C-alpha cells in the first residue's frame, strides 16, 4: 500500500492521470517504495538534507540582469548542442543549487544528456540581491523573463522546468498565468504547497516548528543584512526583525509590504498556485506525499480541479521533498530523480 509509481506500476496510493498514459505505458515500469529504515515523515524529510552526498558538478554561473536593476544568478551544466533540451530547476524556500534535491536532479539531467540550469531566486545564490525586496512564493515575473530569454537565445532547444516546494508553486502559477503561451514542452512539481495559508499554519505545529525555525534564521539574517543600505525602505527595524517568530509574521510584516500585498492573507490568496491549476495547458507531473509535514493532506488538489494535462501522483509516505527509497542507508535512492526523467523523456521525444 505504500508504493507509488507511473501508470501500470503496482498499487499506487492514488494516481490521477491525464492524456498521455498511452505514452507512459511503453516506458519501463518504475515504482516508489518508501525506505523501510526511514519510518515517519520527518526522517524522510531530513535524511536527504543531512546525509545525501552532494556531487561535485561542473557548473558555470551566469549573472542574469533584470529590468528593475536587480539580478538573479543561474548555474548551468556544460553546454551541448544548440538543440539539446534545457531543464530549468527552481529550488525551494531558502534553497539553492547546493540543496540536496537540486544537486541531485542537476546530476541526473547531465546523465541523461540534457542541459540543466538552476535559477536562483533573488538573494539565494550566496550574494544579496540589490533591492529591498527579495522573492516570494508567487513571484513568477523573473521566471517568465528567463524563459522568454532562453526561447530567444536557443529557439531550437526544447524547454522544460522542475520546481521543488516553493519553486513548484511558482512554476504552477506561471503555467496557469501563461496558459497556451507557456513555451514549455513539459513541467514537474515536487512537494508543492498549493495553499500557502494552510501551509503557514501547519509548519507551526509539532516538530514542523524545527523547519520554521531554520527558515526564519536565514530569512531574518538576509533582512538584517539589507538594513545598512535599505533601512529607510524596510518596514521594520533590526529589533523588530529579530523578534519575528513565525513564517506568518514574517509574511505579514515583511513579505507582504515589500512585494505589494496588503497583508499576509492577501499574499497567501494571490500567490497560492491551487486556483491556477485548472488553467494549465502544459503536460505536468506532480509528486506529493500525504504525510508531508509542511502541509495538510487537504492542500493536495482533487481530481476535479485538474485539467487533462496534469498527472498527479500521491504517495502515502515520502515527507517533504524526501521520497527516499532503497534497501539500506548506503543504497539510498531518490524517487524524483528516477521518476521525473521518465516523464520528461517522453515529452522531449515528442518535441524533437
Amino acid at each position: 500500500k505504500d508504493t507509488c509509481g507511473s501508470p501500470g506500476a503496482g498499487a499506487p496510493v492514488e494516481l490521477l492521470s491525464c492524456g498521455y498514459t498511452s505514452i507512459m505505458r511503453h516506458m519501463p515500469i518504475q515504482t516508489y517504495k518508501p525506505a523501510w529504515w526511514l519510518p515517519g515523515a520527518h526522517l524522510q524529510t531530513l535524511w536527504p538534507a543531512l546525509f545525501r552526498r552532494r556531487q561535485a558538478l561542473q557548473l558555470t554561473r551566469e549573472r542574469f540582469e533584470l529590468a528593475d536593476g536587480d539580478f538573479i544568478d543561474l548555474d548551468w551544466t556544460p553546454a551541448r548542442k544548440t538543440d539539446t533540451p534545457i531543464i530549468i530547476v527552481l529550488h525551494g524556500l531558502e534553497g539553492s543549487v547546493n540543496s540536496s534535491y537540486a544537486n541531485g536532479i542537476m546530476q541526473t539531467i547531465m546523465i541523461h544528456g540534457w542541459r540543466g540550469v538552476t535559477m536562483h531566486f533573488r538573494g539565494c545564490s550566496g550574494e544579496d540581491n540589490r533591492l529591498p525586496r527579495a522573492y516570494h512564493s508567487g513571484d513568477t515575473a523573473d521566471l517568465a523573463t528567463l524563459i522568454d530569454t532562453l526561447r530567444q537565445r536557443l529557439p531550437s532547444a526544447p524547454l522544460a522546468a522542475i520546481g521543488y516546494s516553493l519553486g513548484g508553486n511558482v512554476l504552477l502559477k506561471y503555467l496557469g498565468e501563461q496558459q497556451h503561451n507557456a513555451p514549455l514542452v513539459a513541467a514537474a512539481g515536487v512537494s508543492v504547497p498549493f495553499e500557502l495559508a494552510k501551509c503557514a499554519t501547519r509548519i507551526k505545529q509539532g516538530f514542523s516548528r524545527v523547519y520554521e525555525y531554520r527558515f526564519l534564521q536565514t530569512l531574518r539574517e538576509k533582512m538584517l543584512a539589507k538594513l545598512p543600505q535599505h533601512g529607510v525602505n524596510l518596514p521594520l527595524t533590526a529589533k523588530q526583525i529579530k523578534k519575528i517568530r513565525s513564517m506568518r509574521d514574517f509574511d505579514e510584516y515583511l513579505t507582504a509590504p515589500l512585494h505589494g500585498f496588503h497583508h499576509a492573507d492577501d499574499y497567501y490568496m494571490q500567490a497560492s498556485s491551487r486556483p491556477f491549476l485548472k488553467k494549465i495547458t502544459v503536460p505536468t507531473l506532480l509528486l506529493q506525499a500525504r504525510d508531508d509535514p509542511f502541509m495538510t493532506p487537504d492542500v493536495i488538489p482533487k481530481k476535479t480541479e485538474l485539467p487533462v494535462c496534469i498527472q498527479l501522483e500521491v504517495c502515502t509516505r515520502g515527507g517533504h521533498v524526501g521520497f527516499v527509497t532503497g534497501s539500506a542507508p548506503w543504497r539510498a535512492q531518490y524517487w524524483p530523480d528516477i521518476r521525473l526523467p521518465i516523464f520528461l523523456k517522453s515529452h522531449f521525444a515528442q518535441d524533437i
Side-chain angles (χ1 to χ4, degrees), residues 56-260:
L57 303 178
Q58 181 185 350
L59 302 175
T60 300
R61 175 154 293 188
E62 175 188 354
R63 176 62 51 88
F64 189 81
E65 296 290 339
L66 301 169
D68 63 2
D70 214 338
F71 70 91
I72 54 175
D73 282 330
L74 311 174
D75 278 349
W76 289 90
T77 61
R80 297 178 183 269
K81 297 183 296 183
T82 57
D83 61 351
T84 297
I86 297 172
I87 302 173
I88 301 167
V89 177
L90 305 176
H91 60 77
L93 180 64
E94 292 301 274
S96 72
V97 73
N98 297 317
S99 298
S100 62
Y101 55 85
N103 176 272
I105 198 63
M106 289 284 275
Q107 181 192 30
T108 299
I109 289 168
M110 294 175 65
I111 289 172
H112 282 80
W114 305 323
R115 193 177 188 198
V117 54
T118 294
M119 185 193 105
H120 291 93
F121 293 108
R122 301 189 191 204
C124 289
S125 63
E127 184 175 340
D128 292 338
N129 64 302
R130 299 178 186 135
L131 302 182
R133 58 152 297 182
Y135 69 103
H136 62 79
S137 298
D139 187 1
T140 59
D142 294 348
L143 174 61
T145 300
L146 173 62
I147 290 174
D148 289 345
T149 301
L150 295 183
R151 187 71 290 149
Q152 294 171 15
R153 284 186 189 175
L154 297 164
S156 62
L159 290 179
I162 299 172
Y164 293 85
S165 193
L166 175 147
N169 190 80
V170 171
L171 175 58
L172 295 179
K173 183 171 177 283
Y174 164 81
L175 293 174
E177 291 170 345
Q178 297 294 320
Q179 300 182 49
H180 291 285
N181 294 321
L184 302 181
V185 300
V190 180
S191 299
V192 180
F194 300 97
E195 291 188 72
L196 299 175
K198 291 181 179 179
C199 294
T201 299
R202 175 65 182 87
I203 204 170
K204 290 174 57 66
Q205 300 172 357
F207 187 83
S208 295
R209 289 176 294 180
V210 173
Y211 311 124
E212 180 180 50
Y213 175 79
R214 180 58 183 151
F215 286 141
L216 286 173
Q217 272 189 315
T218 59
L219 287 168
R220 285 193 301 253
E221 288 171 2
K222 288 181 178 179
M223 281 295 139
L224 290 171
K226 289 178 179 291
L227 284 173
Q229 183 178 0
H230 301 293
V232 67
N233 296 313
L234 294 180
L236 298 182
T237 64
K239 185 176 181 180
Q240 291 170 325
I241 292 172
K242 292 176 182 178
K243 287 184 176 180
I244 291 178
R245 291 293 180 268
S246 72
M247 286 301 303
R248 176 173 280 276
D249 283 348
F250 186 91
D251 291 334
E252 177 74 25
Y253 300 113
L254 287 168
T255 305
L258 284 173
H259 298 93

